[in-house]
Amino acid sequence: MRQATLEIEAELGRSLPDDFHTQVYAEIFRLFAASLEAIPHIDEALAAIALPVCVASSGPPEKIRASLNRVGLYDQFAPNIFSASQVKRGKPAPDLFLFAAEQMQAAPAQCLVIEDSIPGVTGAVAAGMTVLGFHGGSHCPPGHGDTLRAAGAIMTFEDMRQLPDLIGQVEAN
């Protein structure tokens, strides 16, 4: 949000209102409540994964909580939900991923990150973690899988039903 605010202000050539963040998040929460849906098949993918899992998101805790609650996944991850607000630098810096690994008591080299963003892939790779790039979300443009691979994802996928098998392939190597 900080970076987006700076970019908007630079483009407009003026400062945004002091309550800009409050306005944006109020609108985001309104839209989430009305229309946010889980990625198809995420429930069955999570059920098939026998490893500890967590969320490491760039969003503020309130947004993460609202999103996960809306799609019925909060209890799947709690209390292992980490926000960039808990570290000095967010994605693409490795800080959030390193913090999440520490909290999960896992060595970074043993962590597998599922990411759909270039800053996320970049940050996870910088943290010394293996990354699978997910490009099946409605927000992912055509060719996004190639972009994620170029950023450092070792494999990409577009259907959450593929995830358990991909994890098995990574574990086997």
Side-chain angles (χ1 to χ4, degrees):
M1 181 59 86
R2 288 183 298 248
Q3 184 61 36
T5 300
L6 292 173
E7 290 175 18
I8 293 167
E9 288 177 338
E11 190 168 316
L12 293 175
R14 64 177 173 81
S15 295
L16 292 168
D18 290 341
D19 69 340
F20 176 72
H21 296 123
T22 303
Q23 291 179 41
V24 168
Y25 282 117
E27 181 63 9
I28 287 171
F29 293 145
R30 187 189 69 73
L31 292 171
F32 280 2
S35 63
L36 186 68
E37 295 180 11
I39 296 289
H41 312 291
I42 186 66
D43 286 329
E44 61 193 81
L46 288 170
I49 298 169
L51 300 167
V53 296
C54 72
V55 170
S57 173
S58 292
E62 302 80 20
K63 181 183 174 208
I64 300 167
R65 188 176 312 108
S67 300
L68 292 173
N69 274 322
R70 167 68 181 145
V71 299
L73 293 175
Y74 184 83
D75 291 337
Q76 286 273 49
F77 294 102
N80 301 319
I81 301 170
F82 311 107
S83 166
S85 67
Q86 295 174 282
V87 296
K88 184 175 181 181
R89 300 174 304 157
K91 301 172 187 178
D95 302 22
L96 177 58
F97 293 108
L98 294 171
F99 176 74
E102 179 183 325
Q103 297 303 304
M104 298 294 292
Q105 300 179 349
Q110 299 300 311
C111 294
L112 177 63
V113 175
I114 313 307
E115 256 300 340
D116 65 355
S117 74
I118 301 308
V121 171
T122 303
V125 169
M129 299 176 179
T130 302
V131 183
L132 297 177
F134 176 69
H135 60 96
S138 60
H139 62 288
C140 298
H144 193 58
D146 294 333
T147 307
L148 295 171
R149 273 191 300 283
I154 63 163
M155 291 184 270
T156 59
F157 66 106
E158 63 182 352
D159 186 321
M160 279 295 165
R161 290 174 289 195
Q162 298 170 281
L163 183 57
D165 286 338
L166 290 173
I167 291 171
Q169 290 176 36
V170 170
E171 286 182 318
N173 290 331

